[in-house]
Amino acid sequence: AQSVAQPEDQVNVAEGNPLTVKCTYSVSGNPYLFWYVQYPNRGLQFLLKYITGDNLVKGSYGFEAEFNKSQTSFHLKKPSALVSDSALYFCASGVTGFQKLVFGTGTRLLVSP
Amino acid sequence: EPEVTQTPSHQVTQMGQEVILRCVPISNHLYFYWYRQILGQKVEFLVSFYNNEISEKSEIFDDQFSVERPDGSNFTLKIRSTKLEDSAMYFCASSPTSSGPGELFFGEGSRLTVL
Protein backbone atom coordinates (compact mmCIF):
# COMPACT_ATOMS: atom_id res chain seq x y z
CA ALA A 1 0.00 0.00 0.00
CA GLN A 2 1.12 3.53 -0.73
CA SER A 3 1.68 6.10 1.98
CA VAL A 4 3.15 9.56 2.26
CA ALA A 5 4.43 11.12 5.47
CA GLN A 6 4.96 14.78 6.17
CA PRO A 7 6.51 14.78 9.63
CA GLU A 8 6.12 18.50 10.34
CA ASP A 9 2.72 20.08 10.88
CA GLN A 10 4.25 23.53 10.54
CA VAL A 11 7.51 25.03 9.33
CA ASN A 12 8.48 28.55 10.30
CA VAL A 13 11.10 30.45 8.36
CA ALA A 14 12.14 34.08 8.04
CA GLU A 15 11.79 35.81 4.69
CA GLY A 16 14.96 35.49 2.65
CA ASN A 17 16.08 32.30 4.37
CA PRO A 18 16.09 28.91 2.68
CA LEU A 19 13.16 26.62 3.37
CA THR A 20 12.71 22.86 3.40
CA VAL A 21 9.43 20.99 3.74
CA LYS A 22 9.96 17.30 4.34
CA CYS A 23 8.23 14.34 2.72
CA THR A 24 8.90 10.61 2.80
CA TYR A 25 7.05 8.01 0.83
CA SER A 26 6.35 4.30 0.78
CA VAL A 27 5.49 2.91 -2.63
CA SER A 28 5.89 -0.48 -4.26
CA GLY A 29 7.80 0.03 -7.46
CA ASN A 30 8.84 3.32 -9.00
CA PRO A 31 7.01 6.25 -7.52
CA TYR A 32 5.47 9.27 -9.11
CA LEU A 33 5.92 12.11 -6.62
CA PHE A 34 4.23 15.50 -6.52
CA TRP A 35 4.07 18.68 -4.50
CA TYR A 36 0.92 20.77 -4.35
CA VAL A 37 0.25 24.06 -2.57
CA GLN A 38 -3.06 25.20 -1.11
CA TYR A 39 -3.78 28.83 -0.30
CA PRO A 40 -6.67 29.67 2.05
CA ASN A 41 -10.09 28.84 0.59
CA ARG A 42 -8.55 27.69 -2.68
CA GLY A 43 -8.00 24.39 -4.44
CA LEU A 44 -4.66 22.66 -4.63
CA GLN A 45 -2.18 23.98 -7.16
CA PHE A 46 0.49 21.83 -8.78
CA LEU A 47 4.07 22.85 -8.00
CA LEU A 48 6.25 20.09 -9.40
CA LYS A 49 6.56 16.38 -10.05
CA TYR A 50 9.13 13.62 -10.26
CA ILE A 51 8.59 10.64 -12.51
CA THR A 52 12.03 9.66 -13.71
CA GLY A 53 15.37 11.22 -14.60
CA ASP A 54 17.19 13.95 -12.69
CA ASN A 55 16.81 13.68 -8.95
CA LEU A 56 16.50 17.46 -8.63
CA VAL A 57 13.22 18.70 -10.02
CA LYS A 58 12.48 22.37 -10.56
CA GLY A 59 8.94 23.70 -10.38
CA SER A 60 6.80 26.79 -10.14
CA TYR A 61 7.58 29.92 -8.08
CA GLY A 62 11.25 28.98 -7.58
CA PHE A 63 10.53 25.74 -5.73
CA GLU A 64 12.52 22.58 -6.27
CA ALA A 65 12.50 19.10 -4.80
CA GLU A 66 15.09 16.39 -4.47
CA PHE A 67 14.23 12.75 -4.99
CA ASN A 68 16.31 10.48 -2.79
CA LYS A 69 15.61 6.83 -3.44
CA SER A 70 17.77 5.45 -0.63
CA GLN A 71 16.04 7.64 1.95
CA THR A 72 12.63 7.40 0.21
CA SER A 73 12.35 11.16 0.50
CA PHE A 74 11.14 13.99 -1.71
CA HIS A 75 11.79 17.18 0.24
CA LEU A 76 10.58 20.51 -1.11
CA LYS A 77 13.08 23.35 -1.07
CA LYS A 78 13.43 26.99 -1.96
CA PRO A 79 16.65 29.00 -1.62
CA SER A 80 15.00 32.22 -0.44
CA ALA A 81 11.53 32.24 1.11
CA LEU A 82 8.92 34.93 0.47
CA VAL A 83 6.08 35.95 2.79
CA SER A 84 3.74 35.06 -0.08
CA ASP A 85 4.96 31.44 0.10
CA SER A 86 3.00 31.03 3.33
CA ALA A 87 0.47 28.30 2.59
CA LEU A 88 -0.32 24.62 3.12
CA TYR A 89 1.93 22.24 1.20
CA PHE A 90 1.00 18.69 0.29
CA CYS A 91 3.26 15.92 -0.90
CA ALA A 92 1.59 13.16 -2.94
CA SER A 93 2.55 9.87 -4.52
CA GLY A 94 1.22 7.70 -7.29
CA VAL A 95 2.17 4.56 -9.14
CA THR A 96 2.17 3.78 -12.83
CA GLY A 97 -1.01 2.24 -14.16
CA PHE A 98 -3.19 3.88 -11.53
CA GLN A 99 -4.72 7.31 -11.48
CA LYS A 100 -5.14 7.95 -7.78
CA LEU A 101 -2.77 10.09 -5.80
CA VAL A 102 -2.15 9.50 -2.11
CA PHE A 103 -1.61 12.74 -0.24
CA GLY A 104 0.29 13.46 2.94
CA THR A 105 -1.33 15.32 5.81
CA GLY A 106 0.10 18.65 4.73
CA THR A 107 2.65 21.03 6.21
CA ARG A 108 1.79 24.61 6.95
CA LEU A 109 4.59 26.95 5.92
CA LEU A 110 4.72 30.29 7.69
CA VAL A 111 7.20 32.82 6.36
CA SER A 112 7.67 35.81 8.63
CA PRO A 113 8.76 39.24 7.35
CA GLU B 1 -5.79 30.16 -18.43
CA PRO B 2 -8.33 27.33 -18.43
CA GLU B 3 -9.51 26.21 -15.01
CA VAL B 4 -11.73 23.71 -13.28
CA THR B 5 -14.89 25.28 -11.91
CA GLN B 6 -17.11 23.88 -9.17
CA THR B 7 -20.59 24.70 -7.94
CA PRO B 8 -21.88 25.31 -5.38
CA SER B 9 -19.06 26.77 -3.35
CA HIS B 10 -20.92 25.91 -0.15
CA GLN B 11 -23.93 23.71 0.47
CA VAL B 12 -25.69 23.05 3.75
CA THR B 13 -27.98 20.05 3.87
CA GLN B 14 -29.88 17.94 6.36
CA MET B 15 -28.72 14.42 7.13
CA GLY B 16 -30.38 11.91 4.78
CA GLN B 17 -30.82 14.38 1.93
CA GLU B 18 -29.36 13.93 -1.53
CA VAL B 19 -26.67 16.31 -2.71
CA ILE B 20 -25.23 16.88 -6.17
CA LEU B 21 -21.92 18.66 -6.56
CA ARG B 22 -21.07 19.92 -10.01
CA CYS B 23 -17.79 20.45 -11.80
CA VAL B 24 -16.74 21.67 -15.22
CA PRO B 25 -13.31 20.16 -15.95
CA ILE B 26 -10.83 21.67 -18.38
CA SER B 27 -12.20 20.97 -21.83
CA ASN B 28 -9.44 18.88 -23.43
CA HIS B 29 -8.70 16.82 -20.33
CA LEU B 30 -9.32 13.08 -20.32
CA TYR B 31 -9.40 12.06 -16.65
CA PHE B 32 -11.69 13.45 -13.98
CA TYR B 33 -11.52 13.00 -10.25
CA TRP B 34 -13.20 13.73 -6.98
CA TYR B 35 -11.18 14.13 -3.81
CA ARG B 36 -12.35 15.26 -0.41
CA GLN B 37 -10.73 16.99 2.53
CA ILE B 38 -12.32 16.74 5.93
CA LEU B 39 -11.49 19.83 7.94
CA GLY B 40 -7.91 19.69 9.18
CA GLN B 41 -7.25 16.30 7.64
CA LYS B 42 -5.56 14.96 4.56
CA VAL B 43 -6.86 15.11 1.03
CA GLU B 44 -8.42 11.73 0.17
CA PHE B 45 -9.07 10.17 -3.22
CA LEU B 46 -12.65 9.21 -3.93
CA VAL B 47 -12.93 8.27 -7.59
CA SER B 48 -11.44 8.67 -11.05
CA PHE B 49 -13.46 8.69 -14.27
CA TYR B 50 -12.27 8.06 -17.81
CA ASN B 51 -14.05 7.38 -21.06
CA ASN B 52 -17.45 7.68 -19.39
CA GLU B 53 -16.83 5.13 -16.70
CA ILE B 54 -15.23 4.83 -13.28
CA SER B 55 -11.58 3.81 -13.66
CA GLU B 56 -10.69 3.67 -9.97
CA LYS B 57 -12.47 4.19 -6.70
CA SER B 58 -11.50 4.16 -3.05
CA GLU B 59 -13.11 2.29 -0.19
CA ILE B 60 -14.74 5.59 0.80
CA PHE B 61 -16.67 5.63 -2.48
CA ASP B 62 -19.44 3.26 -1.44
CA ASP B 63 -22.95 2.79 -2.80
CA GLN B 64 -24.16 6.16 -1.55
CA PHE B 65 -21.82 7.90 -3.99
CA SER B 66 -22.13 8.08 -7.76
CA VAL B 67 -20.55 10.10 -10.55
CA GLU B 68 -21.60 10.92 -14.06
CA ARG B 69 -20.78 13.12 -16.97
CA PRO B 70 -24.27 13.88 -18.21
CA ASP B 71 -23.59 16.23 -21.10
CA GLY B 72 -19.94 16.05 -22.14
CA SER B 73 -18.90 19.07 -20.09
CA ASN B 74 -20.22 18.70 -16.55
CA PHE B 75 -18.92 16.08 -14.13
CA THR B 76 -21.09 15.48 -11.08
CA LEU B 77 -20.76 13.78 -7.73
CA LYS B 78 -24.01 12.63 -6.14
CA ILE B 79 -24.31 11.65 -2.51
CA ARG B 80 -27.60 9.83 -2.14
CA SER B 81 -28.25 9.99 1.57
CA THR B 82 -25.87 12.30 3.34
CA LYS B 83 -24.38 11.49 6.74
CA LEU B 84 -22.78 13.83 9.24
CA GLU B 85 -19.36 12.40 8.39
CA ASP B 86 -19.79 13.45 4.75
CA SER B 87 -19.16 17.04 5.84
CA ALA B 88 -15.99 18.01 3.99
CA MET B 89 -14.56 20.07 1.19
CA TYR B 90 -15.00 18.20 -2.07
CA PHE B 91 -12.51 18.92 -4.81
CA CYS B 92 -12.96 18.12 -8.45
CA ALA B 93 -9.84 17.71 -10.57
CA SER B 94 -8.99 16.91 -14.15
CA SER B 95 -5.87 15.71 -15.91
CA PRO B 96 -4.77 15.67 -19.54
CA THR B 97 -2.77 12.44 -19.26
CA SER B 98 -3.99 9.10 -20.47
CA SER B 99 -1.73 6.81 -18.50
CA GLY B 100 -0.34 6.83 -15.03
CA PRO B 101 -0.87 9.53 -12.43
CA GLY B 102 -0.26 12.96 -13.82
CA GLU B 103 -0.53 16.59 -12.88
CA LEU B 104 -3.99 17.31 -11.53
CA PHE B 105 -5.79 20.59 -12.00
CA PHE B 106 -8.07 21.21 -9.03
CA GLY B 107 -11.14 23.35 -8.68
CA GLU B 108 -11.63 25.60 -5.69
CA GLY B 109 -13.83 23.09 -3.94
CA SER B 110 -17.40 22.72 -2.73
CA ARG B 111 -17.82 22.83 1.01
CA LEU B 112 -20.54 20.43 2.15
CA THR B 113 -21.99 20.82 5.62
CA VAL B 114 -24.36 18.10 6.79
CA LEU B 115 -26.51 18.97 9.80
Side-chain angles (χ1 to χ4, degrees):
Chain A
Q2 285 184 69
S3 66
V4 173
Q6 294 181 243
E8 303 152 316
D9 289 337
Q10 183 161 313
V11 169
N12 298 306
V13 64
E15 187 173 35
N17 283 358
L19 69 87
T20 299
V21 181
K22 295 179 181 176
C23 171
T24 58
Y25 65 89
S26 175
V27 167
S28 299
N30 294 322
Y32 290 57
L33 297 165
F34 302 80
W35 276 101
Y36 284 82
V37 59
Q38 186 181 30
Y39 296 100
N41 302 313
R42 303 296 299 273
L44 284 74
Q45 294 178 36
F46 170 82
L47 277 180
L48 51 80
K49 68 182 177 187
Y50 171 84
I51 297 176
T52 187
D54 260 350
N55 290 341
L56 186 63
V57 178
K58 293 189 185 296
S60 307
Y61 313 121
F63 283 94
E64 57 190 30
E66 186 165 13
F67 172 67
N68 187 317
K69 188 171 183 178
S70 63
Q71 296 186 3
T72 62
S73 67
F74 190 58
H75 301 331
L76 181 71
K77 301 183 180 189
K78 187 173 182 181
S80 178
L82 300 173
V83 172
S84 56
D85 293 330
S86 298
L88 191 55
Y89 290 80
F90 289 94
C91 183
S93 72
V95 292
T96 188
F98 295 90
Q99 290 300 313
K100 101 176 183 186
L101 292 185
V102 172
F103 283 83
T105 49
T107 299
R108 187 165 302 282
L109 174 66
L110 184 59
V111 182
S112 54
Chain B
E1 187 176 323
E3 58 182 21
V4 175
T5 57
Q6 290 186 241
T7 54
S9 56
H10 190 191
Q11 179 153 358
V12 181
T13 191
Q14 294 292 322
M15 192 168 56
Q17 295 297 304
E18 176 181 286
V19 161
I20 297 177
L21 305 179
R22 292 181 168 81
C23 169
V24 179
I26 295 173
S27 62
N28 62 346
H29 283 188
L30 300 175
Y31 277 90
F32 314 113
Y33 309 82
W34 285 100
Y35 283 79
R36 78 174 183 190
Q37 184 180 30
I38 295 172
L39 187 63
Q41 298 186 26
K42 66 167 74 175
V43 176
E44 300 175 296
F45 170 79
L46 291 178
V47 66
S48 63
F49 191 87
Y50 171 69
N51 200 25
N52 284 320
E53 60 183 23
I54 291 173
S55 51
E56 267 182 85
K57 61 180 181 178
S58 72
E59 58 276 6
I60 302 168
F61 194 87
D62 61 22
D63 291 345
Q64 71 161 342
F65 291 93
S66 62
V67 289
E68 64 175 0
R69 193 158 152 82
D71 57 12
S73 61
N74 290 285
F75 178 52
T76 62
L77 174 69
K78 181 191 290 186
I79 309 174
R80 259 180 275 282
S81 177
T82 50
K83 305 173 193 167
L84 295 176
E85 55 265 36
D86 294 328
S87 295
M89 181 73 91
Y90 288 81
F91 290 106
C92 175
S94 66
S95 171
T97 60
S98 60
S99 64
E103 174 185 346
L104 300 183
F105 292 77
F106 284 85
E108 295 198 349
S110 293
R111 182 170 297 285
L112 176 64
T113 301
V114 182
L115 303 176

